[in-house]
Amino acid sequence: MPNHLSVATIIEANRIHSETAFLIALEVDIVDPVTNTLVETMRAVCNDEDITFNGQTYIATHFTVGAETAAGETPNITLSITDYTNALSKPMELYGGGVGFEARILVINSGALDAPPEISERFKVIQASIRSFVVSFTLGAENPLTMRCPTRLQYRDRCPWRYKGPQCGYAGDMPSCDYTLQGDNGCAAHGNNLRFGGFPGLMLRS
């Protein structure tokens, strides 16, 4: 999904009164450096309680995100994660110290936990350390060879728009949507067919 907002804008927006909040979430892929296979994915959210986002549980964890810039160099992202349970420290010790892990920073609308993230950025861990229950990562810029182009995926029967967001445009009384076109709680049931963000004309390959 296109990234319309900066992380700084989201943080500022989160400081004013709102019925929903934008949450910063983190996914870290634990990769075996010998076989280059995915072992597991750690999921965390900078929040005071766990959340379930798109069917996955994100554990409430304190972490901070910063940026390091130097003249003539690509900026790096710094990530500091409090890890009292060793949930991340132990896999780092088992699998090469954490360098080479993939990290994704997501911005999630707490009022639309079944919708795609508002922002999703992917990085590689290029430096890693552990000290006093704090895991520190330096994240390199996303490799352009792994970036999705176009950024928006095309689904036949799945709408990518945030429910009641500007692209969706629905302003009625129905409290939720299942993001389908013809589902029991989809766009047609809302009388919002013209705003459906999927591509029903796509042909399925056998």
Side-chain angles (χ1 to χ4, degrees):
M1 186 172 183
N3 294 342
H4 299 292
L5 303 175
S6 69
V7 173
T9 300
I10 296 299
I11 293 174
E12 286 298 321
N14 204 23
R15 292 177 179 171
I16 63 176
H17 176 73
S18 175
E19 294 182 359
T20 62
F22 288 97
L23 304 175
I24 310 298
L26 174 67
E27 297 178 347
V28 179
D29 287 343
I30 310 300
V31 178
D32 187 331
V34 177
T35 62
N36 200 34
T37 56
L38 176 65
V39 178
E40 62 177 316
T41 299
M42 311 293 294
R43 295 178 174 86
V45 61
C46 196
N47 194 31
D48 55 4
E49 61 182 4
D50 299 350
I51 66 169
T52 299
F53 175 63
N54 282 332
Q56 300 289 343
T57 300
Y58 289 71
I59 304 301
T61 307
H62 175 72
F63 60 85
T64 59
V65 181
E68 292 181 347
T69 58
E73 296 184 3
T74 302
N76 292 323
I77 303 298
T78 58
L79 183 62
S80 297
I81 309 162
T82 302
D83 186 28
Y84 291 122
T85 63
N86 293 321
L88 189 54
S89 303
K90 186 173 293 184
M92 287 174 62
E93 294 174 357
L94 294 174
Y95 299 105
V99 174
F101 289 1
E102 183 175 291
R104 292 176 296 279
I105 298 175
L106 313 176
V107 177
I108 297 171
N109 184 340
S110 65
L113 295 179
D114 57 348
E118 299 289 333
I119 295 175
S120 177
E121 297 287 355
R122 179 183 301 175
F123 304 91
K124 281 289 186 182
V125 177
I126 58 176
Q127 294 181 15
S129 63
I130 306 170
R131 183 177 181 181
S132 301
F133 298 104
V134 175
V135 173
S136 298
F137 286 154
T138 299
L139 309 178
E142 186 173 20
N143 185 342
L145 297 178
T146 66
M147 294 175 65
R148 181 184 297 137
C149 184
T151 56
R152 181 185 171 195
L153 293 178
Q154 295 182 343
Y155 295 101
R156 186 169 182 265
D157 194 34
R158 173 76 179 180
C159 181
W161 306 139
R162 177 166 55 87
Y163 184 52
K164 294 190 176 182
Q167 293 94 345
C168 169
Y170 179 72
D173 297 329
M174 297 180 71
S176 63
C177 177
D178 63 14
Y179 297 95
T180 65
L181 177 58
Q182 298 294 341
D184 293 339
N185 192 32
C187 286
H190 289 70
N192 201 32
N193 302 48
L194 294 179
R195 293 281 193 144
F196 178 66
F199 297 83
L202 288 177
M203 300 295 293
L204 297 178
R205 293 183 178 180
S206 56

